Amino acid sequence: MEVGIEGLSIAFPEVYLDLAELAVARGVAPGKYLDGIGTRRMAVALPEEDTVTFAARAAREVLERTGTAPDQIGLLAVGTETAVDHSKPVASFVQGLVGIGPRCRVFETKHACYGGTAALQLSLDWIRSGNARGKKALVVCADIARYGIGTPGEPTQGAGAVALLLSDRPELLAIEAGTAGIAAVDVHDFWRPLYSKDAMVDGHYSVQCYLDAVSGAYQHHKELVNAPPGLYSDHFAALAYHVPYGKMAKKAHRQLRSLDGDVDPDASFERLVAAGLMMPAEIGNIYTGSLYLALASLLENTKAPLAGRPIGLFSYGSGSCAEFYTGVVGPKAQQWVRDLGLPARLAARRSLSIAEYEEIMRAREDLDRRPVGGAPGRDFSFLGVDGHRRTYRGPAQA
Ligand code: HMG
């Protein structure tokens, strides 16, 4: 049975910060953020937005675009590392907001940026096993990446969600079974203690951990497929990497091609990777969703037809667990993503001033205790906390 991604949609804030302006404000040469780190803009979540509202928005859109009734969903998982409650999963809020019925497994998965891929792979196995009995899985990867004002990680923040409808009709990407290369190791490269809203990171060490994980997962995959010697990765039409920032994907690709024995590993970057970095450069790191944002970006921006061609995907979550897996692009994939109208939606966003951005960052400090109030202005809104209960409004309650 072929299984994989039947539909995909993306939600992101309507405001962003220009990183050249941030560099000037921090007394850093803009070239460091734009070329050295390889990003241009980062999405900033407004106070009435959070992981739940992004996840619900993306989930509702993918159901509508695929014509999937909520009762066709038999498994709803949200992969996130920026959940809103220690116990109640983001997925339960999403269930309520988009109206998914009771005969559904609903839960959250966590392993830093790998949490979404973990949910995806387990959901695909659930469908392959026959236990889905014709039902589909909805996996949403949703996060707000936050390191704090003035930290080295500040230009690598972002916010948003990617919803993936998984089924035995993989019209976007048929995902290969049994050949995913895995690399997991207990490291402290990036983490977020229970008492902190901001991530802690040993930045340069995290880069090395990511690169080690590329080696481990890719070598494992090559063993599983009995890869012939030589430039094995040339048989992929494209490669999508987890993108905390663009330069990291470039380093990852250099590492992967070196493992293939390529003496000029950067030469294939434009051909295999660059199309996947255009949208991440507009939105920033969205943690669990970053790999799937790169996938959407490569489908949107690759001019040549990709239908029927294999691609490779590398997922990395700090802490760490990583996976290199493969899929075959479906007949509708490129048109599907173009129909989402992402370039126009990105262009319609508003640029924040540095003062506005810093005010939003400060306001987020107290959001988890903010009483219900304010005027919700969008499809899904976080209204505040009522008797220790987070309260949202969705279109159904509008
Ligand atoms: P930093 O230490 O401030 O930057 O922070 P740097 O000094 O390493 O410089 C960065 C690059 O800019 C260097 O290039 C410089 O040469 C260059 P590289 O050597 O890397 O090729 N540069 C310039 N280029 C052009 N013009 C200039 C200029 N000046 C310098 N004027 C760091 C960088 C990434 C460490 C920081 O932003 C950080 O800590 N970010 C967060 C952690 C992170 O994203 N790690 C990535 C791997 S771990 C991961 O991906 C998992 C994650 O997504 C979390 C999860 O799993 O949940 C983070």
Side-chain angles (χ1 to χ4, degrees), residues 310-322:
I311 62 170
L313 299 98
F314 176 74
S315 177
Y316 177 75
S318 285
S320 68
C321 188

Side-chain angles (χ1 to χ4, degrees), residues 383-394:
L383 300 182
V385 180
D386 181 9
H388 298 291
R389 291 173 178 82
R390 289 180 83 88
T391 310
Y392 293 88
R393 192 181 79 155

